[in-house]
Amino acid sequence: MDILSNLAMGLSIALSPYTLVLAIVGCFVGTIIGALPGLGPSNGVALLIPISFSLGLDAISALVLLTSVYYGAMYGGRISSILLNIPGDEPAMMTTLDGYPMARQGMAGEALVVSGVASFVGAFLATVGLMVFAPYLARVAYQFGPAEYFALYMLAFCTLGGIGSSNQAKAALAAAIGLAIAMIGLDKTTGMPRFTFGELHLMDGVDFLVAIVGLFAVAEIFHFIESHGRDSAIGVKLGKILVPWKMLRQTSGAMLRGSGIGFIAGVLPGAGASLGSFLAYMGEKSAASDKDSFGRGNPRGVAAPEAGNNAAAGGALVPMLTLGVPGSGTTAVLLALLLTLNITPGPLLFTERPEVVWSLIASLLVANVVLLLMNVPMVKVFVKILSVPAWVLLPGVTMIAFVGIYSLTGSSFDMLMMVGFGVLGYVMRKLDIPTVPVILGILLGNSMEDNLRRAMVLSDGDWTYLFSSPIALGLWIAAIMGFIAPIFLRRFLKKPPLPATDPTLNED
């Protein structure tokens, strides 16, 4: 009954006209961001954080807007995957395997509708899972002390870096860079400046919003410049959009199975939507009797990964809200938003700020319905967005990044620092070094240091205290496994070759 009463309170906020408009705007903008190849939810949310502050949005309004963008971007990623064979973001990669062959066979409309409904099912069930399981996980989190939290942060670094990168050494280097940046500023214990080099602007440390916008949005701008702003073009024609009811019934089981697998993958810190879509696709293929049809235009090969990656996106919010540990790169950006708003995620969030949590959950339910109603009849509108030339898109992204950060901080030094982080992000991208562990290090570095110091104080300097409880020991084992396991699973996590084995797909 507590869940229903809390949900009713959240719905009273989410269904207010102002909040509802924010959710609709966020869904529309997010779908566009997701449809544009290369941007993805992390870049979109990072880009809009300073805009939400410049608009003077309160905590609930800003969260509703940006989580709607998050869910919308997860929906939108399927459009370019199906029509262009180019994933809008990494989680949509598996959708290309059967989505693009369906489009080549003249079933682009059916593939888009099936993927849209699968996205709704996955995201809706994940939001229900968030509503049911998050309060219980928050109660478990009360058992966490400094040793457990330190081990949890290590788990986040190991799994997010290990799974999200093609090279563990590069992921560890990126995490070390992030932790080093987090150390900049005044030491909270001694009050001594660290790594400021006499620069007064660095005494308060590095603003993580400046770092996030630089590493994601500005680095993407540099990449656009390097690619000479090549325009995208629609690879297949989109015919009349009809709802394929028979196909939806045939794929309903794949949607449910993909949702369950994706949600579990999302709850695991660091696993994220990419692993969720991969496991959902491989699980559906292994359970199918017609395995050979996968990769040649099987609708279940579209439904399962779409349900999986959207369910994982919702599941990734569970550890962020209950433990303060992001489950994916985008939730790391959302964690930065919460910290900026002086909201500390963790078990106390559900008791101290229930209106924030439950209005967010209710808004996600509303956003899912809005996205379903928006994505099926308006899919042709979003397809048109794919033809926007980069020379139009690039100045707009640049303007939003600079105006947003300056309106937030009012500091020209922060603007220069944002450009510096953009250069760093671009160089890391060229060297194939992941940027998400850097963000994670900046966000969690101070908390990680504080918990390590508390643990050493409580144990009188005995480092074995970090492994003293069953919870801490289990987290350490999971962290080591999460870092080592991808070394052996790498060949399965790589993008499979494009499905061009069927000669009928090459007939125009």
Side-chain angles (χ1 to χ4, degrees):
M1 294 302 294
D2 288 341
I3 293 178
L4 294 178
S5 60
N6 287 326
L7 182 60
M9 176 193 67
L11 286 172
S12 66
I13 300 174
L15 294 176
S16 64
Y18 180 68
T19 309
L20 193 58
V21 168
L22 286 176
I24 294 173
V25 171
C27 291
F28 184 80
V29 173
T31 305
I32 293 174
I33 290 172
L36 292 170
L39 285 182
S42 298
N43 288 330
V45 174
L47 196 61
L48 291 177
I49 283 180
I51 297 298
S52 65
F53 281 103
S54 63
L55 293 175
L57 300 181
D58 57 29
I60 293 176
S61 300
L63 271 176
V64 168
L65 175 64
L66 294 177
T67 49
S68 298
V69 170
Y70 177 28
Y71 266 31
M74 298 303 298
Y75 269 71
R78 77 195 201 286
I79 297 176
S80 58
S81 297
I82 292 171
L83 297 181
L84 299 177
N85 203 25
I86 302 174
D89 54 0
E90 189 178 347
M93 181 181 68
M94 303 305 295
T95 308
T96 63
L97 300 183
D98 286 278
Y100 187 65
M102 285 184 68
R104 291 291 299 272
Q105 295 169 18
M107 295 189 293
E110 288 87 342
L112 287 169
V113 172
V114 168
S115 63
V117 174
S119 297
F120 169 79
V121 172
F124 180 81
L125 293 179
T127 307
V128 173
L130 170 65
M131 179 173 59
V132 173
F133 293 111
Y136 292 102
L137 185 58
R139 293 173 191 169
V140 174
Y142 281 114
Q143 307 296 321
F144 279 46
E148 288 77 13
Y149 270 111
F150 183 80
L152 182 66
Y153 293 147
M154 287 299 300
L155 173 63
F157 280 113
C158 291
T159 53
L160 195 60
I163 293 175
S165 173
S166 60
N167 187 302
Q168 265 71 5
K170 291 181 178 180
L173 173 63
I177 293 173
L179 290 172
I181 294 173
M183 297 300 103
I184 296 175
L186 295 177
D187 188 311
K188 293 181 180 179
T189 303
T190 64
M192 297 294 292
R194 300 185 296 188
F195 308 114
T196 59
F197 305 103
E199 178 60 57
L200 293 177
H201 291 94
L202 294 177
M203 290 295 183
D204 291 331
V206 174
D207 191 321
F208 35 72
L209 292 184
V210 174
I212 286 172
V213 175
L215 286 170
F216 284 115
V218 178
E220 189 66 34
I221 293 169
F222 289 143
H223 177 69
F224 268 125
I225 294 173
E226 181 194 29
S227 65
H228 305 292
R230 287 190 293 268
D231 298 343
S232 60
I234 300 298
V236 295
K237 292 183 179 180
L238 182 62
K240 189 175 181 180
I241 302 295
L242 297 174
V243 179
W245 295 108
K246 183 178 179 180
M247 191 177 292
L248 290 176
R249 287 193 298 271
Q250 292 173 344
T251 57
S252 59
M255 295 179 190
L256 294 175
R257 288 187 290 270
S259 300
I261 294 172
F263 181 75
I264 294 173
V267 171
L268 299 173
S274 299
L275 186 64
S277 65
F278 170 80
L279 292 178
Y281 183 88
M282 297 306 296
E284 190 63 30
K285 183 178 179 180
S286 63
S289 58
D290 54 342
K291 295 180 176 61
D292 293 338
S293 65
F294 281 77
R296 301 188 178 193
N298 191 320
R300 284 174 292 166
V302 174
E306 278 301 308
N309 71 44
N310 282 272
L317 293 171
V318 175
M320 186 201 76
L321 292 174
T322 58
L323 302 174
V325 175
S328 65
T330 310
T331 50
V333 179
L334 290 173
L335 176 62
L337 171 69
L338 289 172
L339 295 175
T340 306
L341 294 168
N342 293 322
I343 298 174
T344 304
L348 294 178
L349 181 63
F350 285 78
T351 55
E352 295 180 350
R353 300 294 299 272
E355 74 283 358
V356 172
V357 176
W358 289 100
S359 62
L360 171 62
I361 293 174
S363 296
L364 291 177
L365 292 173
V366 173
N368 282 325
V369 177
V370 170
L371 282 165
L372 179 65
L373 298 177
M374 184 183 293
N375 271 260
V376 174
M378 294 181 62
V379 69
K380 287 192 174 183
V381 176
F382 295 117
V383 169
K384 290 290 184 183
I385 302 298
L386 292 175
S387 61
V388 174
W391 60 266
V392 173
L393 183 66
L394 178 62
V397 172
T398 306
M399 180 191 69
I400 291 173
F402 279 85
V403 172
I405 286 295
Y406 189 76
S407 64
L408 178 63
T409 66
S411 170
S412 57
F413 181 83
D414 284 341
M415 305 215 18
L416 293 173
M417 187 178 294
M418 181 182 68
V419 175
F421 275 109
V423 173
L424 174 63
Y426 172 76
V427 172
M428 293 177 67
R429 183 169 179 171
K430 297 297 290 183
L431 297 176
D432 196 27
I433 299 175
T435 55
V436 171
V438 178
I439 295 298
L440 203 63
I442 296 173
L443 289 174
L444 302 182
N446 288 322
S447 297
M448 193 174 182
E449 180 188 14
D450 291 343
N451 280 286
L452 178 60
R453 283 182 167 176
R454 292 193 190 103
M456 293 299 98
V457 169
L458 290 173
S459 64
D460 197 23
D462 182 7
W463 61 271
T464 60
Y465 176 76
L466 296 174
F467 311 91
S468 59
S469 72
I471 295 177
L473 190 59
L475 291 171
W476 277 106
I477 294 173
I480 295 171
M481 292 298 297
F483 192 75
I484 295 177
I487 298 175
F488 304 99
L489 300 175
R490 188 70 62 206
R491 64 189 183 93
F492 298 109
L493 295 176
K494 286 182 179 179
K495 182 177 180 179
L498 295 178
T501 56
D502 189 351
T504 61
L505 299 182
N506 297 322
E507 297 176 2
D508 293 326

